[in-house]
Amino acid sequence: MGCIFCKIVRGEIPCSKVFENEKFFAFLDIGPINKGHTLVIPKKHYKNLFDMPEEELKGYMEVIQKVSKAVMKGVDADGVNINMSNESAAGQVVMHAHVHIIPRIKGDGLKLWPQGKYKEGEMQTVRDKIVNYL
């Protein structure tokens, strides 16, 4: 079957391309949250953020910034959300690294996710667990 994003990069599936260079590719999402919703992907297949080499990530962020500025100006957005889901538990559906650039317009009705709270002392415990892996 193969990866749908790899097929897009190879030109086997049509898309509305907005950017391309030797390593990265950006195109409009076919199910946009708001008009101008764009996906930015590496041309090389990486499952997600965890598989991408550090050097590749530096270039990726530069392209994401460039495309985000163009999306914002192009659709006259008031801001953008930049989202990347990693692993299926986080909502990753296509197992090819991709970042969503979602234009935001004041009053568009989209909400941020709900915020939780830590119990007394819990924040330090969670922090210590994370720091152990750095």
Side-chain angles (χ1 to χ4, degrees):
M1 182 117 88
C3 170
I4 190 168
F5 288 170
C6 289
K7 289 179 179 181
I8 288 171
V9 168
R10 292 192 302 263
E12 296 169 15
I13 296 174
C15 72
S16 292
K17 178 173 63 174
V18 298
F19 176 85
E20 181 178 13
N21 68 13
E22 61 282 346
K23 291 187 175 186
F24 304 103
F25 197 90
F27 53 97
L28 294 180
D29 192 303
I30 61 169
I33 291 174
N34 280 330
K35 304 295 188 230
H37 179 167
T38 301
L39 301 177
V40 182
I41 66 172
K43 286 183 172 180
K44 184 174 179 181
H45 184 91
Y46 300 106
K47 180 181 176 188
N48 56 36
L49 176 76
F50 307 124
D51 292 347
M52 292 183 71
E54 188 174 317
E55 279 305 309
E56 194 91 352
L57 285 168
K58 291 176 185 177
Y60 196 31
M61 287 307 298
E62 290 171 2
V63 169
I64 291 164
Q65 180 186 49
K66 178 179 185 156
V67 174
S68 294
K69 287 178 179 180
V71 166
M72 206 167 143
K73 289 178 183 176
V75 299
D76 199 27
D78 299 310
V80 295
N81 286 118
I82 298 173
N83 179 280
M84 182 178 202
S85 299
N86 296 279
E87 302 294 347
S88 58
Q92 185 179 4
V93 176
V94 177
M95 296 303 161
H96 183 123
H98 60 286
V99 166
H100 294 260
I101 300 170
I102 304 163
R104 298 298 304 272
I105 310 298
K106 289 179 185 166
D108 63 11
L110 296 177
K111 306 282 186 213
L112 295 177
W113 48 76
Q115 293 181 318
K117 293 185 179 191
Y118 288 102
K119 296 176 185 169
E120 184 72 33
E122 188 178 27
M123 184 182 282
Q124 183 67 32
T125 301
V126 170
R127 178 209 159 275
D128 291 346
K129 288 179 181 180
I130 294 169
V131 169
N132 283 335
Y133 290 99
L134 293 175

